[in-house]
């Protein structure tokens, strides 16, 4: 039985102590934090170059296409690349762990309901 005075972690108080959950969170953070920092640095570089390096950004690359246009389009490319990389990463590393935890939570939830009914 769950102690009502204990701090609540929702319907699955055990999950925060499970090593698989700890690994799930760590894996997520190892991917998301560096990628977010890199993207923000890349975006900030683009913005600062647009504001302070106008001559560089106005440099023609091919025809009427300049560095600013290339950098702007690369912002979209990098965004879609990150989304694709995260999808592959999540399918390979996060989904198996979260699926196992979800299954165990369903089993434990069913067991707790059975215990509650049998105690009544």
């Amino acid at each position: 039985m769950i102690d009502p005075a204990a701090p609540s972690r929702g319907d699955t108080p055990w999950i925060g102590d499970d090593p698989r959950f700890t690994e799930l969170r760590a894996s997520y953070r190892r991917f998301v934090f560096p990628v977010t920092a890199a993207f923000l640095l890349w975006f900030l570089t683009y913005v600062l170059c647009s504001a302070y390096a106008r001559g560089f950004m106005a440099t023609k690359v091919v025809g009427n296409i300049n560095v600013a246009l290339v950098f702007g389009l690369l912002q979209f490319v990098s965004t879609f690349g990150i989304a694709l990389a995260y999808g592959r990463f999540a399918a390979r590393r996060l989904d198996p762990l979260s699926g196992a935890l979800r299954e165990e939570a369903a089993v434990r939830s069913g067991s707790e309901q059975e215990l509650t009914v049998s105690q009544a």
Side-chain angles (χ1 to χ4, degrees), residues 4-114:
S8 176
R9 289 195 217 162
D11 294 338
T12 55
W14 56 271
I15 206 163
D17 299 325
D18 192 300
R20 293 172 299 177
F21 183 71
T22 304
E23 175 59 26
L24 178 68
R25 287 179 47 179
S27 293
Y28 174 79
R29 288 178 177 162
R30 277 191 303 266
F31 180 88
V32 170
F33 289 167
V35 170
T36 301
F39 181 79
L40 289 175
L41 181 65
W42 160 233
F43 181 73
L44 184 62
T45 300
Y46 171 66
V47 171
L48 290 175
C49 284
S50 295
Y52 298 109
R54 293 178 184 250
F56 169 70
M57 296 297 267
T59 303
K60 303 258 185 199
V61 177
V62 176
N64 287 330
I65 298 174
N66 61 17
V67 172
L69 181 60
V70 172
F71 276 20
L73 292 174
L74 285 175
Q75 290 291 318
F76 288 102
V77 171
S78 61
T79 300
F80 289 117
I82 290 168
L84 180 63
Y86 177 75
R88 294 181 72 197
F89 171 79
R92 189 177 67 252
R93 297 285 309 271
L94 303 179
D95 292 350
L97 285 171
S98 64
L101 289 169
R102 192 177 308 112
E103 287 176 15
E104 186 169 339
V107 168
R108 286 187 181 210
S109 176
S111 299
E112 289 175 4
Q113 288 176 358
E114 291 173 11

